[in-house]
Amino acid sequence: MSRSRTPVIAGWFTGEGDDFRLLGTRCSACASVFFPREDICCRNPACPGGELREVPLSRRGRVWSYTDGRYRPPSPYVSDPELPWEPYALIAVELAAERLVVLGQTVPGVTVADLTVGMEVEVVPGVLHEDAETTWTTWHWRPTGVAT
Amino acid sequence: MTGEVAVLGAGMHPWGKWGRSFVEYGTVAARAALDDAGVDWREVGSIVGADTVRGGYPGYVAGATFAKALGWQGARVTSVYAACASGAQAVGTARAQILGGLADVVLVVGADSAPKGFFRPAGGERPDDPDWLRFRVLGATNPTYFGLYARRRMAVHGDTPEDFARVKVKNSALGALNPYARYRKRVTAEEVASSAVVADPLRLLDICATSDGGAALVLSSMEFARRRGVTEPVRIRAVSTVTPRYPNTMLDLPDIATDSAVAVESAAETFRESIARAAYEEAGIGPDDLSLAEVYDLSTALELQWYEDLGLCGEGEAAKLLRDGVTALGGRIPVNVSGGLASFGEAVPAQAIAQVCELVRQLRGAAGDRQVAGAHVGISANQGLFGHGSAVIAVR
Ligand SMILES: [Zn+2]
């Protein structure tokens, strides 16, 4: 039986392979960008309020900082309690064009030992976890020097 | 300058992992504060409770919960919640009521009964809650955010894990002298270095635990204090409960991303710096006037960050300030002489109140072995989740 692929959160990212992008929104009046997407009203207090339109974010950015989780996070993070906990790295990435920082997990296999502040990374599609019916998809950060 | 209110009494329940109800800790702290003030509970015109999200419904209405436990006596009641800043909100609310003439004497109480392990969000499927999202999508616990900040300091300022460990060594030595602290044992740099990594580069002994505890203050008008013959009370001169300004370009708990600075240039000062500045402005003092500071050392690295945010030193100079002993007891500006969160562990709604309790003890000259000589101005500072500033300046 094949599982359906479902984004862990709808509307935050789109596309496959090289076309994969995080999705934010941009205010038509003041050009502020929001991620996670802001769909209610622009949060710039000096803005008269424009229309918020979906916009793909830059694919590449630089590592602002990084860390990892050596212990199993609590629910609602999903992990199999039967399996030993496998730490993964988290990277906060600075996107130059949008001038914001976005947090994300790294691709599997990249650890904190492989990372430095300022290193270039790109966003790629990833899998958060799978259950019987569904592959829950997410975004991952991958150092640009690392092959797929 | 805003008017002052008097601190007539301060009381605490010892921090620990006692496994009992937060109501008990808060009530014990409240009775201790009333005793310390020499005020009968029935004289209190208003009670302000700092809420806990962990005690069920009674936790959300903490003001009434404590009022009932102490015995209904008709006082005005308020319950406030602002995550780690709840205590400062409670103090700020009490002060406003006193200065506004709504009450002469106000009892402020906060207490928590903490679960084992990581703090976790409330249950259910709640994709509109950033706190739920960061756990669901990233598994980003509080320590992972502390790890990000610590690594950033290492990269930008050259801080080292040994610098971070020095904070724990300093605070644990002070906590060993504090009967209200949960951890009363001195910790060595070697013990920090050999503890398990929780969120690289931070280790178990770099990160504060979650605790049970309770703290309370009796605040009054200056006029009421005079009538009671308290001629020289500790006074609260400033309470800063400011929000950030857009765009907030610091990745704050529990957010997955910062605001964008593409349309509006970010302010020259960070949110945490603005928390301190607002307090200084309200009090009409500056960092050079401080005798001591109590800051939120959720991690050892965060204590260093606060040195800079409070203006105790320039950006990037915190580790040097620590290494030079400036923030140790006996130094120019001792920080966390209570032992800090390193020695207490966080009891969320009680912690900011406990910080003020320590300022009160110090300013009264009643801190025993932990006494900062000649203390006359103290600041407490922290930052609550979801954009809550928290700082109190007390003087005597
Ligand atoms: Zn706008």
Side-chain angles (χ1 to χ4, degrees), chain A residues 26-34 41-52, chain B residues 246 263:
Chain A
R26 182 189 292 275
C27 173
S28 63
C30 74
S32 283
V33 176
F34 299 98
C41 62
C42 177
R43 289 193 277 106
N44 171 5
C47 177
E51 197 186 322
L52 292 163
Chain B
Y246 183 87

Side-chain angles (χ1 to χ4, degrees), chain B residues 65-90:
Chain B
T65 299
F66 296 131
K68 182 181 178 186
L70 291 165
W72 295 124
Q73 46 83 318
R76 179 190 296 269
V77 64
T78 311
S79 300
V80 298
Y81 188 72
C84 308
S86 301
Q89 292 263 326

Side-chain angles (χ1 to χ4, degrees), chain B residues 8 11 22 89 147 158 167-168 188 366 370 377:
Chain B
L8 290 185
F22 77 96
Q89 292 263 326
V167 174
K168 179 72 173 187
T188 65
R370 290 177 292 110
V377 183

Side-chain angles (χ1 to χ4, degrees), chain B residues 110-350:
Chain B
D112 206 1
S113 193
K116 194 172 156 44
F118 294 121
F119 280 143
R120 63 184 67 198
E125 182 89 3
R126 294 177 299 103
D128 52 353
D129 174 354
D131 195 45
W132 184 87
L133 282 168
R134 54 122 171 183
F135 280 101
R136 173 70 182 98
V137 178
L138 301 172
T141 59
N142 291 4
T144 62
Y145 284 81
F146 310 152
L148 290 170
Y149 307 146
R151 173 61 63 183
R152 179 75 185 170
R153 285 197 62 87
M154 291 171 70
V156 175
H157 301 312
D159 290 6
T160 65
E162 292 72 34
D163 292 325
F164 301 152
R166 265 185 207 103
V167 174
K168 179 72 173 187
V169 172
K170 170 180 75 73
N171 290 352
S172 67
L174 290 158
L177 304 173
N178 190 340
Y180 294 104
R182 174 176 171 192
Y183 301 103
R184 304 286 312 279
K185 195 175 134 311
R186 284 168 165 268
V187 171
T188 65
E190 294 70 34
E191 285 169 318
V192 179
S194 62
S195 65
V197 175
V198 174
D200 177 88
L202 297 177
R203 296 174 179 275
L204 189 63
L205 293 180
D206 284 304
I207 293 169
C208 101
T210 61
S211 291
D212 297 358
L217 293 164
V218 177
L219 306 181
S220 81
S221 64
M222 293 303 295
E223 172 55 27
F224 183 93
R226 263 191 297 277
R227 283 205 303 272
R228 282 301 167 103
V230 186
T231 51
E232 232 187 303
V234 171
R235 289 117 57 206
I236 289 180
R237 186 173 275 183
V239 183
S240 167
T241 53
V242 295
T243 53
R245 275 171 302 170
Y246 183 87
N248 184 6
T249 53
M250 181 70 195
L251 185 68
D252 277 333
L253 259 165
D255 295 334
I256 284 177
T258 65
D259 290 339
S260 158
V262 78
V264 183
E265 199 58 43
S266 55
E269 64 180 7
T270 64
F271 175 41
R272 273 195 300 270
E273 287 167 338
S274 76
I275 296 169
R277 181 185 47 77
Y280 290 139
E281 282 179 9
E282 193 169 280
I285 65 156
D288 293 343
D289 300 311
L290 295 175
S291 316
L292 76 153
E294 285 285 306
V295 305
Y296 235 58
D297 55 322
L298 291 165
S299 80
T300 49
L302 263 174
E303 176 167 316
L304 297 180
Q305 187 63 47
W306 278 112
Y307 295 178
E308 296 166 20
D309 297 335
L310 291 183
L312 308 184
C313 62
E315 192 184 336
E317 295 171 0
K320 182 175 188 311
L321 204 68
L322 173 73
R323 284 196 295 262
D324 291 349
V326 175
T327 58
L329 187 61
R332 176 170 59 77
I333 168 70
V335 177
N336 282 339
V337 284
S338 66
L341 270 59
S343 303
F344 277 76
E346 190 184 18
V348 178

